[in-house]
Amino acid sequence: MSDIVSEFNAYRSKMNEAILADNNKIIKRIFNLDTNAFNEGGALDKRTKELLGLVASTVLRCDDCVRYHLEACHKLGLTKEEVVESLGIATLIGGTIVIPHLRRAYEFWDALENQR
């Protein structure tokens, strides 16, 4: 696995464990809500939900969130064309200030595609 991908996942897992170990009811409920919002079921399929998450995360300029949704999109088998079109919409909505996040998104997607 690419270093950028494995480092992101290792850090995310480590910190999520530490956060959830404190057993804060509010934080646990937010984590649960986030997980359930992106599950199958409802009017939107999981692929669409992940693309919406990717666009919102890009517009909000959250690199960790962008990486998370890129990896979810990759695991669901979305194509680079689908992801790039969604990132294009995010850039249109977010404006030029999201271009640095777009660069990092491209870098992370390439790392996902080059995993072995």
Side-chain angles (χ1 to χ4, degrees):
M1 193 179 311
S2 170
D3 284 345
I4 191 173
V5 175
S6 58
E7 287 172 11
F8 171 73
N9 285 323
Y11 176 77
R12 186 175 180 277
S13 292
K14 174 184 157 188
M15 294 314 300
N16 282 353
E17 280 183 35
I19 291 166
L20 293 173
D22 280 340
N23 205 27
N24 179 281
K25 185 190 299 186
I26 296 168
I27 292 173
K28 286 180 112 175
R29 287 182 176 176
I30 290 170
F31 273 54
N32 184 271
L33 180 62
D34 180 66
T35 297
N36 286 317
F38 288 92
N39 282 338
E40 283 294 348
L44 300 174
D45 64 16
K46 192 170 176 74
R47 293 167 55 97
T48 301
K49 291 176 185 180
E50 289 299 340
L51 289 172
L52 288 170
L54 176 61
V55 170
S57 297
T58 304
V59 171
L60 292 170
R61 300 177 301 216
C62 177
D63 286 333
D64 279 6
C65 302
V66 168
R67 287 178 174 191
Y68 174 83
H69 291 292
L70 283 172
E71 187 164 13
C73 288
H74 189 263
K75 286 179 180 176
L76 289 169
L78 277 91
T79 65
K80 183 173 184 175
E81 291 76 20
E82 291 170 311
V83 169
V84 168
E85 188 168 339
S86 299
L87 289 170
I89 291 168
T91 305
L92 171 68
I93 301 301
T96 57
I97 197 156
V98 304
I99 290 173
H101 305 277
L102 179 63
R103 289 183 191 116
R104 288 187 285 276
Y106 264 74
E107 176 187 32
F108 198 76
W109 184 263
D110 286 345
L112 288 166
E113 287 192 326
N114 291 321
Q115 293 182 84
R116 297 288 172 241

